[in-house]
């Protein structure tokens, strides 16, 4: 009989920041969080998300892009502009500070021409990340406690519908098995000459989600669709955050 190793979770002190977010939502009578609130909780626990910033000048744009890293996508932020692409409000694949400055100017010029008098908040900058899409979720079962699910994201969910699960608390071996028993793992482990993905970064993210589940009993359900797992050594990112709360 093999001995199970207790899950080695990262040492993070995220509960206080997470509780502030959860308390605020509860005080407002909400039973779900916005994406940015979900990402605040991720940040508190060190779950990586793509870099983002909101800028209001050419120089701010260049500085923010340098900080986030390239490539980035830049988009107009305005309540008056719904279809951003149609009015030249989106520039994809910005690769340097010089390009960021050009893109900022171009976006501002074309949007003010296309929608005169629009209330323009600024330009949002988001890190463009690429890799294998997977889904990571946690649901708190009344009987069994938190259950973590993992599987392929993107278009594969519908087709393969394959999800593996493990209960919290889980061991290192159970975490390994949950990942390795999936088709997602076959795609990510360098099979058939495919590039190898950053499985270690994915494991680290799962451990942080386990911690969030253990330390925040107010959270009923958490879903990240997708988590983008980069190439080996590059990391992984929670691109989306859906969080619902336990109804009081």
């Amino acid at each position: 009989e093999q001995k199970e190793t207790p899950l080695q979770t990262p040492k993070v002190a995220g509960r206080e920041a997470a509780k502030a977010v959860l308390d605020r939502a509860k005080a407002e009578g909400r039973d779900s969080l916005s994406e940015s609130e979900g990402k605040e909780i991720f940040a508190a626990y060190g779950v990586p998300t793509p870099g983002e910033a909101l800028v209001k000048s050419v120089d701010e744009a260049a500085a923010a892009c340098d900080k986030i890293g390239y490539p980035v996508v830049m988009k107009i932020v305005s309540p008056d502009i719904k279809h951003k692409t149609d009015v030249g409000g989106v520039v994809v694949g910005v690769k340097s500070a010089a390009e960021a400055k050009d893109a900022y100017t171009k976006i501002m010029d074309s949007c003010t021409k296309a929608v005169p008098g629009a209330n323009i908040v600024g330009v949002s900058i988001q890190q463009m990340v690429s890799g294998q899409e997977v889904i990571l979720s946690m649901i708190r079962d009344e009987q069994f406690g938190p259950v973590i699910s993992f599987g392929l994201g993107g278009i594969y969910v519908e087709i393969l519908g394959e999800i593996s699960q493990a209960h919290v608390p889980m061991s290192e071996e159970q975490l390994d098995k949950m990942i390795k028993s999936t088709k997602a793992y076959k795609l990510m482990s360098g099979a058939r000459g495919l590039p190898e993905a950053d499985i270690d970064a994915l494991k680290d993210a799962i451990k942080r989600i386990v911690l969030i589940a253990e330390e925040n009993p107010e959270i009923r359900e958490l879903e990240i669709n997708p988590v983008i797992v980069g190439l080996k050594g590059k990391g992984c990112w929670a691109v989306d955050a859906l969080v619902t709360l336990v109804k009081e």
Side-chain angles (χ1 to χ4, degrees), residues 4-238:
E4 299 270 304
T5 320
L7 199 65
Q8 307 292 309
T9 46
K11 300 275 178 282
V12 284
R15 169 64 178 160
E16 207 174 310
K19 191 174 183 308
V21 174
L22 295 163
D23 286 350
R24 189 170 67 220
K26 280 201 285 197
E28 291 171 13
R30 291 186 285 135
D31 56 12
S32 66
L33 302 183
S34 69
E35 181 184 335
S36 63
E37 287 173 324
K39 285 182 174 174
E40 265 182 76
I41 293 180
F42 291 169
Y45 281 90
V47 176
T49 56
E52 340 186 40
L54 177 69
V55 298
K56 299 182 184 201
S57 74
V58 168
D59 291 334
E60 277 185 19
C65 289
D66 275 344
K67 191 175 169 222
I68 289 168
Y70 300 94
V72 299
V73 56
M74 295 173 64
K75 298 177 191 173
I76 193 76
V77 179
S78 164
D80 302 323
I81 299 175
K82 293 284 175 283
H83 301 289
K84 300 182 174 98
T85 316
D86 299 351
V87 294
V90 179
V91 178
V92 177
V94 175
K95 293 184 187 66
S96 69
E99 284 186 22
K101 288 180 173 182
D102 287 349
Y104 184 90
T105 309
K106 212 160 82 186
I107 288 171
M108 282 301 184
D109 287 351
S110 54
C111 288
T112 44
K113 277 195 195 97
V115 192
N119 167 16
I120 291 176
V121 181
V123 171
S124 83
I125 295 173
Q126 289 167 326
Q127 178 186 9
M128 292 173 72
V129 294
S130 58
Q132 177 63 55
E133 291 189 15
V134 297
I135 296 181
L136 199 50
S137 65
M138 181 282 294
I139 187 153
R140 195 176 301 279
D141 185 281
E142 281 176 18
Q143 221 172 340
F144 301 109
V147 180
I148 304 281
S149 303
F150 165 74
L152 280 173
I155 53 169
Y156 294 108
V157 191
E158 270 54 74
I159 304 167
L160 298 172
E162 174 204 52
I163 296 283
S164 66
Q165 296 184 313
H167 289 106
V168 175
M170 68 175 85
S171 64
E172 287 284 341
E173 289 80 5
Q174 285 167 319
L175 172 60
D176 263 358
K177 188 177 170 216
M178 177 173 86
I179 295 173
K180 288 182 174 168
S181 65
T182 60
K183 293 192 176 78
Y185 180 74
K186 290 190 179 73
L187 282 180
M188 291 159 60
S189 58
R192 299 204 176 170
L194 288 166
E196 204 176 333
D198 202 333
I199 306 277
D200 289 340
L202 172 67
K203 274 191 190 170
D204 182 70
I206 294 175
K207 289 177 175 186
R208 291 170 193 273
I209 297 298
V210 167
L211 233 100
I212 292 174
E214 288 178 327
E215 293 186 357
N216 300 278
E218 303 92 332
I219 297 178
R220 190 184 94 81
E221 199 171 347
L222 180 160
E223 184 180 289
I224 313 171
N225 180 12
V227 172
I228 291 188
V229 186
L231 295 177
K232 194 173 180 154
K234 295 281 189 213
C236 75
W237 304 271

